[in-house]
Amino acid sequence: MRENPFGRLSKLSEDAREKLAAYGALLREINGRVNLLSRKDTDDLEYRHIALCAAISEIFEPRDGASIADVGTGGGLPGVVLSILYPRANVSMFDGVGKKVCAINEMVDALGLTNARAYHERIEEHKGRFDYATGRAVCALPQFFRFLKGKLRPGKNGNLPNGVLYFKGGCLEDELIQKRILPDAELDLQNFFGDALFEGKKICHFAFGDVARI
């Protein structure tokens, strides 16, 4: 898999594969001067991080024009990956560290991604609403949902209802279980990749109505 990091991702076009590889090269280069990822995370970057994010394509397909907010994007994972996978969707990435935002926009421009932009602000401060929000190990899910209060719109602008797609490790939080807020779609990443490296990691979808209950 490390020789062919995107080998399990059967839904990727050749253009998407090339851009994901180019993103990996840019991320590794820029990480040398801007701390986007820990140095150890640049080992097997394309497989352990980019392919993992791109696995979302196995369960999610937004409609043309759908808006996606990537909250706490860090080095653009998964936001930059989403903009490559879904060139007809609009991806907004949010992070509180200005130098990271500048680095992400540098990569977005270098890759020619006209459907993506990173913002140096919190999602709570941004005007407007989105169809979907994504996050990758940003914080506990109940708190993540609270960040999104008033920032998601109801409806269904893709194959899944509008809501949250979250890259999660470990068990579901007690608060969600007590309120019977459970994923209505999920992808077990260990099973998908056939690799214990991703043990306990999943991509979970929560519909707008459940997110709003928190």
Side-chain angles (χ1 to χ4, degrees), residues 5 8 11 30-31 40 76 83-84 87 95 110 131 177-178 182 197 205-206:
R8 290 290 178 97
K11 297 185 179 182
I30 290 175
N31 200 60
K40 65 180 179 62
S83 66
I84 293 170
D95 201 275
D131 298 311
I177 294 172
Q178 290 167 5
L182 304 175
L197 175 68
H205 173 263
F206 297 86

Side-chain angles (χ1 to χ4, degrees), residues 24 38 73-74 78 89 91 99 110 124 138 146 150 153 158 165 167 171 210:
S38 69
T73 192
V91 180
K99 63 181 181 179
E124 303 97 309
V138 177
R146 292 183 180 104
R153 62 172 67 94
L165 287 137
F167 293 75
C171 299
D210 283 337

